[in-house]
Amino acid sequence: MFTKEQQLIEEKIKAFCKANDIALAELKWQPIPFSGEWGFATSFFQTAANEAKLGKGNKLPVPQKAQEIAEQVKAQLGSVDGISHIEAVKGYLNVYFKTSDYARRVVDEVINSGEDFGRGAKKSEKVMVEYAQPNTHHSFHIGHARNTVLGESLARLVEYAGFETIRAAYPGDLGLGVITVMWIYEKFYKGQEPAGIHERGQWLAKLYVEATSLLEKKDSETPEETAKREGYETERREMYRKWDAGDDYVRKLWHETREWSLEELRDVLQMLDVKMDVWFYESEVDEPSKAIVDELIAKDIATDERPQGGAVIVKIDEKLGLTKEKYRTNVILRSDGTTLYLTKDLALAKVKFEQYHVDRSIYVVDVRQSMHFQQAFAILKLWGFPQAEKCYHLGYGFISLPEGAMSARRGRVVLFKDVADEAVKRVLSLETERSADIPASEREKIASQIGLGALVYSMLSVDNNKDIVFDINEALSFDGRTGPYIQNAHVRANSILKKAGSQTFQPDHLPTFNYDLTKNEIELIEQISRFPQAVQQAAEEYRPLVMASYTYELANTFHSFYHAVNVMQTEDENTRNARLRLVAAAKQTLANALHLLDIQAPDVM
């Protein structure tokens, strides 16, 4: 919003420092909270420290030297258009705007930029965010939902911040768990699958639970039961062997049943407005990962201990020259020639870097895999990929139920579709009572927006590192720090603007903010102005929580404004129209912020 003035001041500071041989540090600007006026500031402490290290000039302590530089810079700046005054205070240069100009420019910037308000300048790096990757032959549960909304919000944030962004899914579609479902389906249930997409996906999850029970040893097993169970296990292992050997029948069965899971996943992603750019599959990198093992052996990164009956390992700490254990020693190929998750992640990273030219790779995977990814990134560094320094694991805590941990093996999970349907059902019941004048089809759409918004915000409003005890009643509460509370702020803003009409937004009749702003107006303008900074912070820190918290604060500030300032009954026409433009700016900022959280912004509710 104020880049022109900021750049002009920066140029003058750089010119002054160059002329006076001052070792200027990078200028980092921060907004000044309102205390009579708005402004922005930068510190000269690092510059003073640089001067001290070089032994230049007088030997003042760093704080005093910083203040001296700030005063010298202030004296050289003179007047700057659009700036009311400049101060040098405690080593900081504080630049202030005339309040009415600042308010007008913030509001104008939002309204003129629309959906692009807060969008960052284009960055040079390409980012890939990997998420939405449940194992196939199961069903999408509430834990998968946390992964997906975290990944989608992060992808939207880094993209909005200016990075070219690729969304990637990496479903696990092989392994004994997959074979387990295929085995019981082929043996007992072939041809009995339900027709519906979600019914079929959920049915596969039930088969997994049943198969696990059949294959699990019981404490009071009879010899006959033991023989039966062992026979089942032999059949399952034989199916796995055939899959690995490329048996046509088993591979066809695998493709068919895998597609049922993927159909369910794609439908859930559509519900959540998630559009993946790339689909990777664990099965596709299994064979290539074996070739990578050979390459790592040839480069003396990996050690082949198979001749001695061992595995192929990477002594990461030793190869990095670390004297204390940090990454440990890792197996990347078992003695029987089979790969591990680590092997396949290395293969996938190679595809990302070489085929998609990714500069930053973000992995949204639960926190239990933290050491796994540290090890993977360390091996990528040894391998020579510079991108290894910018790989990042966005871990997240577990989701449990009030009665305990979820378990797919035990069938103790909360399916996302069930929760979403229940959320929409409850909201629709409320909407039917209080919005009888809205057509039924429109009420259903609104209920879906609110219900899904409630679920998504409940996932994003908790720090990703913390566990969540999922309680549907809390998630669907419309009070406090919730999605519906934020959506309602957008609805209230829309209601005011709808009553006012559009005549006050004509370019020839733009109002000024040249009047005494109320406390609520000041707070709302300040919150709106912070949005671009919140976008950049959330993207740079890979923390959707930053945006979730900002959005709640913005909504809370607007609700306070709504109750305290009666916009439509303001007598002075200029003041009323200025406040209407402020409402329009708040509505747009709320819509933009909600979009970055993958939450829709309804106009009525």
Side-chain angles (χ1 to χ4, degrees), residues 510-584:
L510 293 183
T512 67
F513 286 82
N514 196 18
Y515 61 90
D516 289 335
L517 297 173
T518 67
K519 173 178 176 289
N520 296 98
E521 287 173 287
I522 289 166
E523 290 175 350
L524 185 54
I525 292 165
E526 187 159 325
Q527 278 292 341
I528 292 170
S529 71
R530 291 177 183 171
F531 178 63
Q533 183 185 17
V535 171
Q536 293 298 322
Q537 182 188 350
E540 289 167 7
E541 296 178 4
Y542 303 141
R543 290 184 71 215
L545 176 63
V546 170
M547 183 52 58
S549 298
Y550 167 83
T551 309
Y552 168 74
E553 293 300 333
L554 175 60
N556 198 40
T557 302
F558 182 80
H559 280 300
S560 297
F561 167 88
Y562 177 86
H563 290 297
V565 181
N566 196 326
V567 177
M568 293 303 295
Q569 292 184 13
T570 302
E571 292 185 3
D572 181 76
E573 183 180 4
N574 178 77
T575 304
R576 181 175 65 253
N577 291 343
R579 287 172 173 170
L580 283 169
R581 282 180 69 78
L582 176 56
V583 171

Side-chain angles (χ1 to χ4, degrees), residues 212-314:
T212 300
S213 178
L214 290 173
L215 294 161
E216 196 170 59
K217 186 176 181 179
K218 312 297 188 300
D219 291 336
S220 55
E221 228 172 44
T222 65
E224 293 78 11
E225 289 171 336
T226 299
K228 191 178 204 180
R229 175 180 53 77
E230 290 176 348
Y232 289 160
E233 180 60 36
T234 300
E235 292 172 0
R236 179 172 68 151
R237 293 288 175 179
E238 175 62 13
M239 180 173 279
Y240 201 174
R241 186 196 67 76
K242 287 182 176 179
W243 185 94
D244 203 42
D247 180 88
D248 288 342
Y249 175 80
V250 173
R251 285 297 178 105
K252 182 180 178 183
L253 184 69
W254 169 67
H255 275 291
E256 182 181 11
T257 51
R258 184 184 79 160
E259 183 58 24
W260 296 343
S261 292
L262 294 176
E263 282 179 337
E264 182 193 25
L265 174 58
R266 287 191 290 264
D267 197 68
V268 169
L269 296 184
Q270 186 176 13
M271 288 171 59
L272 292 169
D273 193 28
V274 174
K275 302 176 181 68
M276 307 308 297
D277 299 308
V278 182
W279 289 82
F280 299 119
Y281 295 98
E282 191 179 350
S283 57
E284 293 176 347
V285 291
D286 187 43
E287 283 303 316
S289 69
K290 296 176 183 177
I292 283 169
V293 172
D294 293 334
E295 182 180 341
L296 294 177
I297 293 171
K299 289 178 177 288
D300 194 32
I301 295 169
T303 303
D304 190 355
E305 296 185 346
R306 285 176 293 181
Q308 293 80 42
V312 179
I313 61 174
V314 179

Side-chain angles (χ1 to χ4, degrees), residues 142 145-146 149 399 454-462 468 470:
I142 202 70
R146 188 178 195 187
V149 299
I399 291 189
L455 296 182
V456 170
Y457 194 78
S458 73
M459 301 289 175
L460 296 178
S461 60
V462 178
I468 294 176
F470 182 78

Side-chain angles (χ1 to χ4, degrees), residues 206-498:
K206 291 175 182 176
L207 293 192
Y208 179 65
V209 175
E210 183 180 338
T212 300
S213 178
L214 290 173
L215 294 161
E216 196 170 59
K217 186 176 181 179
K218 312 297 188 300
D219 291 336
S220 55
E221 228 172 44
T222 65
E224 293 78 11
E225 289 171 336
T226 299
K228 191 178 204 180
R229 175 180 53 77
E230 290 176 348
Y232 289 160
E233 180 60 36
T234 300
E235 292 172 0
R236 179 172 68 151
R237 293 288 175 179
E238 175 62 13
M239 180 173 279
Y240 201 174
R241 186 196 67 76
K242 287 182 176 179
W243 185 94
D244 203 42
D247 180 88
D248 288 342
Y249 175 80
V250 173
R251 285 297 178 105
K252 182 180 178 183
L253 184 69
W254 169 67
H255 275 291
E256 182 181 11
T257 51
R258 184 184 79 160
E259 183 58 24
W260 296 343
S261 292
L262 294 176
E263 282 179 337
E264 182 193 25
L265 174 58
R266 287 191 290 264
D267 197 68
V268 169
L269 296 184
Q270 186 176 13
M271 288 171 59
L272 292 169
D273 193 28
V274 174
K275 302 176 181 68
M276 307 308 297
D277 299 308
V278 182
W279 289 82
F280 299 119
Y281 295 98
E282 191 179 350
S283 57
E284 293 176 347
V285 291
D286 187 43
E287 283 303 316
S289 69
K290 296 176 183 177
I292 283 169
V293 172
D294 293 334
E295 182 180 341
L296 294 177
I297 293 171
K299 289 178 177 288
D300 194 32
I301 295 169
T303 303
D304 190 355
E305 296 185 346
R306 285 176 293 181
Q308 293 80 42
V312 179
I313 61 174
V314 179
K315 301 175 182 178
I316 304 176
D317 294 325
E318 179 183 306
K319 296 297 180 181
L320 288 173
L322 302 179
T323 54
K324 291 185 178 179
E325 183 181 87
K326 182 176 181 181
Y327 298 108
R328 308 170 193 166
T329 293
N330 274 92
V331 175
I332 60 172
L333 194 71
R334 298 186 183 93
S335 57
D336 63 0
T338 56
T339 61
L340 296 91
Y341 285 123
L342 178 60
T343 330
K344 286 170 280 202
D345 271 326
L346 295 174
L348 184 58
K350 181 179 172 70
V351 173
K352 291 179 179 181
F353 301 152
E354 294 183 347
Q355 190 171 326
Y356 290 90
H357 310 291
V358 170
D359 300 295
R360 299 187 184 204
S361 184
I362 305 169
Y363 300 76
V364 185
V365 182
D366 77 66
V367 73
R368 291 173 295 184
Q369 303 302 319
S370 294
M371 176 56 76
H372 166 88
F373 283 109
Q374 288 180 41
Q375 294 163 338
F377 303 158
I379 295 174
L380 290 172
K381 182 178 179 180
L382 286 168
W383 199 357
F385 284 110
Q387 298 97 323
E389 298 287 351
K390 292 187 177 180
C391 285
Y392 184 81
H393 170 218
L394 179 67
Y396 57 89
F398 308 127
I399 291 189
S400 60
L401 309 177
E403 60 269 24
M406 292 197 296
S407 170
R409 291 171 60 87
R410 304 298 177 199
R412 194 170 59 242
V413 296
V414 175
L415 298 176
F416 172 77
K417 185 65 165 56
D418 290 346
V419 177
D421 288 348
E422 178 65 18
V424 174
K425 177 183 173 183
R426 292 191 188 189
V427 176
L428 187 57
S429 176
L430 291 173
E431 287 295 313
T432 301
E433 289 179 12
R434 65 186 186 185
S435 305
D437 55 326
I438 298 176
S441 60
E442 187 68 16
R443 286 201 301 269
E444 290 177 7
K445 177 184 175 183
I446 295 167
S448 179
Q449 291 175 328
I450 298 171
L452 289 175
L455 296 182
V456 170
Y457 194 78
S458 73
M459 301 289 175
L460 296 178
S461 60
V462 178
D463 189 289
N464 55 279
N465 292 308
K466 292 184 178 179
D467 295 343
I468 294 176
V469 178
F470 182 78
D471 186 317
I472 189 170
N473 295 313
E474 289 183 9
L476 294 178
S477 172
F478 286 20
D479 298 320
R481 194 178 290 264
T482 67
Y485 177 80
I486 297 169
Q487 289 172 313
N488 192 41
H490 184 270
V491 168
R492 283 178 160 174
N494 183 68
S495 176
I496 293 172
L497 297 172
K498 189 175 180 181

